[in-house]
Amino acid sequence: MAARRTAATGSGEDGKSLPLDELMPWSVRPLRTGRSWVMGPDPAALRARWERLAAAEGAEQERLFRSSRSRTPGTPVAALPGRSTGTGRFAREPGACPDPVRILHGPFDEQWLLPDHRLIDAARPELWRVGDERQLFTVEHGYVPQATGPTLSVTHLLPDGHSPAGRAGRIRPLYRRPDATDPNLAPGLLDVLRARLGPEVEPESVLAWIMAAALPSPSGCRVPLPADAEVWAAGVELGRELVRVRLRGARGGERPRLPGGRRPYVRAALPPRPAGIVYDAEAEALVIGDGRISPVPAGAWEFTVSGVRVLELWFGRRAAAAVGAVPEGADADGLDAVGARGWTPEWTSELLELISVLALLDGLRPRQEALRVRLERAEVPLISRDELRAAGVLPVPGSVRLPASVLGHQEEGPEGQFALL
């Protein structure tokens, strides 16, 4: 109890907020690839690694594969939902290289993954099954005491749930089934919110509110629910803007752009194998070897998640990949070194966009802080746990914490059998 009384303002441990786990009850653990070479920032490198592995035999293939208890070159597994890769043993019939798919690695790093279940220890098929053009995924960031930065990410891409620091968070789809059906919300929650806040409350507006108002805590993300329609509307408007920026033009939205005169440009070409990145605060510039990008707002450079600076982490992974090293800086052994071809023009474009995303999100922070201060005032009524219990929303039934049945199509199981869902 003492911990609750002394909790810092905005920590989420104040007794006024509700666990996200009760509002969006179905969650999935992060992906576990089991081997680093199946994912990376360069799709051409992934294809080269596949070809190298498929051409190897026996002990050499085993060495390159990096077997684990879950996967070896001789492990037959079911196909990933929606994918036509082989289900026979890789050592016997690798097949053609599947097209790499875009995923979200951690909060902001869009990378590529070889979507073959035979190569991935825990791919979380239940996420692939519900991922479509209308799905959105929220991801909790690892909790780090006193760290600043956002509490949640949202993406239209398949997220791997990786956390830059701290314990990896849970992945929560907005919908339990494809085609935006069966919202992943506590049964009856929408009815309570509509009665309190107006009939226009929809699953997407609940997600927007969560993005705007979520608070970190050691026990997991927490969310205060206002009983004031005006406060709710302000938070939803802010949350929709946060979601729009993070989706980077997906779902028919606009790509993130800073105002004219503040957009970052390459002032000097980046080197093919950059060794480091430095921020020149006076010139508002990123210095990458002989390369230079400006203007870069200080808020974008200082933007952190779980205490880790986003731009430094993003750059470090690509600088390592450019020379065939693992992200930690050590020389890669085996397939991680295959395909290294220096810094690519695509990475420069992605870096410019990431700077814009972080700058725009930093610009929305004052509105988020103002919303949180407003929620902490005693005069702003909140929907309580007791009210949700009386309405039958809480406790949530155990069935909604499990994946929903999806029977729209057959899926190929190990060795060509069919999986029952």
Side-chain angles (χ1 to χ4, degrees), residues 229-247:
E230 189 270 333
V231 173
W232 170 266
V236 169
E237 180 184 11
L238 171 59
R240 290 190 189 279
E241 183 66 9
L242 291 167
V243 172
R244 184 193 67 80
V245 172
R246 285 180 173 269
L247 294 189

Side-chain angles (χ1 to χ4, degrees), residues 270-329:
L270 277 59
R273 287 174 171 79
I277 185 170
V278 176
Y279 182 62
D280 183 338
E282 185 175 353
E284 287 192 310
L286 285 183
V287 181
I288 304 172
D290 294 330
R292 195 174 185 89
I293 295 175
S294 68
V296 178
W301 171 251
E302 297 293 345
F303 200 101
T304 62
V305 175
S306 300
V308 178
R309 187 175 283 143
V310 170
L311 281 176
E312 281 188 313
L313 181 62
W314 186 97
F315 170 82
R317 288 170 177 159
R318 282 153 184 78
V323 297
V326 294
E328 289 74 17

Side-chain angles (χ1 to χ4, degrees), residues 3-41:
R4 284 185 178 274
R5 288 195 301 268
T6 59
T9 299
S11 68
E13 295 288 356
D14 53 12
K16 299 178 181 179
S17 53
L18 297 161
L20 180 60
D21 187 59
E22 293 183 341
L23 303 180
M24 298 182 72
W26 178 41
S27 67
V28 180
R29 288 178 295 171
L31 277 64
R32 189 177 73 250
T33 62
R35 46 207 53 83
S36 57
W37 59 263
V38 301
M39 182 174 66

Side-chain angles (χ1 to χ4, degrees), residues 353-368:
E353 182 171 79
L354 180 58
I355 292 168
S356 297
V357 167
L358 299 179
L360 290 169
L361 291 177
D362 183 69
L364 293 172
R365 277 179 172 172
R367 290 173 61 186
Q368 278 191 283

